[in-house]
Amino acid sequence: MKQYKLIAHQKNFSEEDLVINPKDFPDLKLKDVVEIYHSEEKFSRLLLQVNSLKEDFQQRDTVSVEQSIASTFQLRTYADVYVNIVDPKVVGLDSLELTFKDQYLERGDMWRLKKDLENSCVYLNKKVEFCGIRCQVFEMWAQGERVACGVVNDDTKIVFRSSTNLVYLFIQMSSEMWDVDINGDLYFEKAINGFFSDLFAKWKENASSHEVTIVLFSRTFYEAQSIDEFPTYMRHCVQSDYRGRFYEDFYSVAVQNERYDDWGVILVYLKKLFNNYQELVLQIHQRRNVNVPKGINSSAAQGNFLEVLNMSLNVFEKHYLDRSFDRTGHLSVVITPGVGVFEVDRELTNLTKQRIIDNGVGSDLVCLGEQPLHAVPLFKVVQLT
């Protein structure tokens, strides 16, 4: 099998990823896919598509690959490589992940971009531009394995990943947050030093620039037998559950629509809020010479979980009003110290389910407690009487 000398070129020499001499490949046609690799083949074989045949490229027995591509695939310049024509059906991709940032893409844009990519060759970190849309290849899968390059065909599933989402993070400040787990850590420490630290580190690694809102929420039960035991200024805030217990829901916005390159400052701020949260919530209605029923922070199971889901849906269902054109996507995450079991009202459950289906926006649930032996999340449906 004949070998060719590999050289690398800059973009100012040629915009094409691959430059070859047509005289060396008389059987080669436009849109053909070729594989390039060293004889020892220490890395994945590079697949490139022939988009032009430069007649002015006079070097014989030589192929030129764009410099950044050669570096990514560890191809050594001035070394011998094999160049073979391959069947696009053999190297077809099952799925392709594209990432984009600081843009708004609607489904029509995604469909048009997918059609433009069909029958083309893609490789790791390739930059794709189409009608002002800028994307980058992130991951590719073929035959159940992750690959470094391949050909997009009609059956390839293309997944778009936005690095600029509208993100809502809800932290449930139930009584378990002040408990200690089996390893001796507070559940709040697990949330801040574990989940949030890893999440923000991942965002920084992927150069994400999400617009984030962080909300702390909880439910307080009051030891009262009648609404008359509450001061007048409190009665419009207090509600009653199916057991006849009086309660009030609290929401504290820690961060609203913020973007940071380094979220370490927010972790320190959340720790300060944690130290003062319980005292602030339980004494918020205290007045001089006024008796207020004693308040108790609820457990995670008896908290206001569905209420915060509807809060995010209130924002997401109006996404078409005053739309921002530098972000795409919505994400809602609830962090709870419980195990994923919640007592919920039947009517509110049906309403929330219907709103989620209508808006097509789900929510992720992160449980800090030990995983139970049954499936979660689990709703214990109760009916108000």
Side-chain angles (χ1 to χ4, degrees):
M1 188 181 298
K2 186 176 179 180
Q3 291 185 329
Y4 299 86
K5 193 71 68 179
L6 175 71
I7 61 174
H9 65 264
Q10 302 281 352
K11 285 291 185 182
N12 54 12
F13 173 75
S14 174
E15 291 292 332
E16 300 297 335
D17 296 334
L18 176 64
V19 179
I20 59 176
N21 189 337
K23 297 178 182 178
D24 292 334
F25 301 91
D27 297 331
L28 198 62
K29 302 184 297 295
L30 288 177
K31 301 303 180 181
D32 279 351
V33 178
V34 298
E35 61 175 1
I36 304 172
Y37 60 96
H38 292 296
S39 57
E40 53 270 23
E41 194 183 347
K42 292 183 179 179
F43 201 71
S44 298
R45 296 186 177 186
L46 172 61
L47 297 174
L48 291 177
Q49 193 169 37
V50 180
N51 294 319
S52 69
L53 297 171
K54 287 180 73 71
E55 298 291 344
D56 56 346
F57 187 70
Q58 299 298 328
Q59 299 187 47
R60 299 302 300 266
D61 298 333
T62 302
V63 295
S64 181
V65 176
E66 201 274 323
Q67 189 173 29
S68 62
I69 302 174
S71 176
T72 301
F73 284 80
Q74 301 179 10
L75 296 174
R76 302 185 307 276
T77 55
Y78 304 108
D80 292 333
V81 294
Y82 291 107
V83 180
N84 299 324
I85 302 175
V86 297
D87 185 359
K89 296 180 180 179
V90 178
V91 292
L93 295 173
D94 295 332
S95 68
L96 167 67
E97 287 192 14
L98 299 175
T99 60
F100 61 96
K101 184 178 180 180
D102 297 329
Q103 300 170 86
Y104 169 70
L105 297 187
E106 61 181 11
R107 294 187 183 274
D109 297 329
M110 298 178 185
W111 181 83
R112 283 186 284 270
L113 178 57
K114 180 183 184 301
K115 288 298 181 182
D116 182 68
L117 284 175
E118 285 182 3
N119 301 318
S120 66
C121 188
V122 294
Y123 49 83
L124 201 61
N125 298 328
K126 179 181 180 179
K127 290 179 171 57
V128 179
E129 292 191 13
F130 173 73
C131 295
I133 302 171
R134 304 176 308 278
C135 298
Q136 186 172 4
V137 176
F138 181 65
E139 276 188 0
M140 291 159 285
W141 295 83
Q143 298 178 358
E145 294 184 355
R146 189 173 176 178
V147 295
C149 49
V151 175
V152 181
N153 53 38
D154 296 342
D155 298 325
T156 302
K157 291 181 171 58
I158 298 183
V159 180
F160 292 86
R161 304 285 187 195
S162 173
S163 297
T164 47
N165 280 285
L166 181 62
V167 180
Y168 275 75
L169 300 175
F170 297 99
I171 308 176
Q172 186 177 25
M173 303 295 289
S174 60
S175 58
E176 291 92 340
M177 274 294 190
W178 286 263
D179 291 342
V180 178
D181 71 348
I182 58 176
N183 297 317
D185 298 321
L186 288 176
Y187 282 101
F188 188 80
E189 293 175 346
K190 291 180 66 176
I192 297 299
N193 300 330
F195 174 74
F196 278 105
S197 295
D198 294 344
L199 178 66
F200 294 154
K202 193 70 174 177
W203 286 357
K204 189 173 183 180
E205 177 186 345
N206 295 333
S208 299
S209 180
H210 300 302
E211 193 167 303
V212 181
T213 298
I214 301 178
V215 180
L216 282 63
F217 70 98
S218 65
R219 172 168 290 181
T220 299
F221 286 106
Y222 292 103
E223 296 180 351
Q225 302 299 322
S226 170
I227 191 68
D228 297 330
E229 299 181 32
F230 293 91
T232 306
Y233 61 84
M234 274 188 66
R235 294 177 184 175
H236 71 283
C237 304
V238 178
Q239 302 180 66
S240 177
D241 68 356
Y242 70 102
R243 294 182 182 177
R245 297 176 299 178
F246 293 98
Y247 69 89
E248 184 177 2
D249 293 339
F250 292 93
Y251 307 91
S252 175
V253 180
V255 175
Q256 185 172 14
N257 297 335
E258 294 287 352
R259 293 186 182 185
Y260 292 98
D261 294 328
D262 184 9
W263 286 88
V265 179
I266 300 301
L267 294 179
V268 176
Y269 179 60
L270 289 176
K271 291 178 182 179
K272 292 180 180 178
L273 288 179
F274 170 73
N275 293 333
N276 304 322
Y277 184 85
Q278 200 164 25
E279 180 181 358
L280 174 66
V281 167
L282 296 180
Q283 298 182 6
I284 192 171
H285 292 298
Q286 293 293 341
R287 303 286 189 277
R288 184 176 296 181
N289 300 325
V290 176
N291 292 326
V292 177
K294 181 182 177 181
I296 301 173
N297 201 2
S298 76
S299 63
Q302 297 175 345
N304 45 338
F305 173 67
L306 291 184
E307 284 80 356
V308 295
L309 291 188
N310 282 276
M311 285 181 61
S312 63
L313 290 171
N314 290 340
V315 179
F316 295 161
E317 72 179 359
K318 301 293 183 181
H319 62 89
Y320 53 87
L321 297 178
D322 194 20
R323 184 189 294 280
S324 174
F325 289 101
D326 63 349
R327 66 167 185 258
T328 303
H330 308 93
L331 177 63
S332 172
V333 182
V334 180
I335 299 96
T336 172
V339 296
V341 179
F342 300 97
E343 296 181 9
V344 295
D345 174 52
R346 183 182 298 276
E347 291 186 6
L348 184 58
T349 302
N350 294 335
L351 173 65
T352 306
K353 178 182 178 181
Q354 190 60 48
R355 294 186 70 193
I356 289 176
I357 294 174
D358 292 342
N359 291 282
V361 178
S363 179
D364 295 323
L365 177 64
V366 179
C367 300
L368 304 176
E370 295 298 320
Q371 183 175 359
L373 299 178
H374 54 78
V376 289
L378 179 65
F379 288 170
K380 297 171 62 178
V381 181
V382 297
Q383 183 70 48
L384 290 175
T385 58

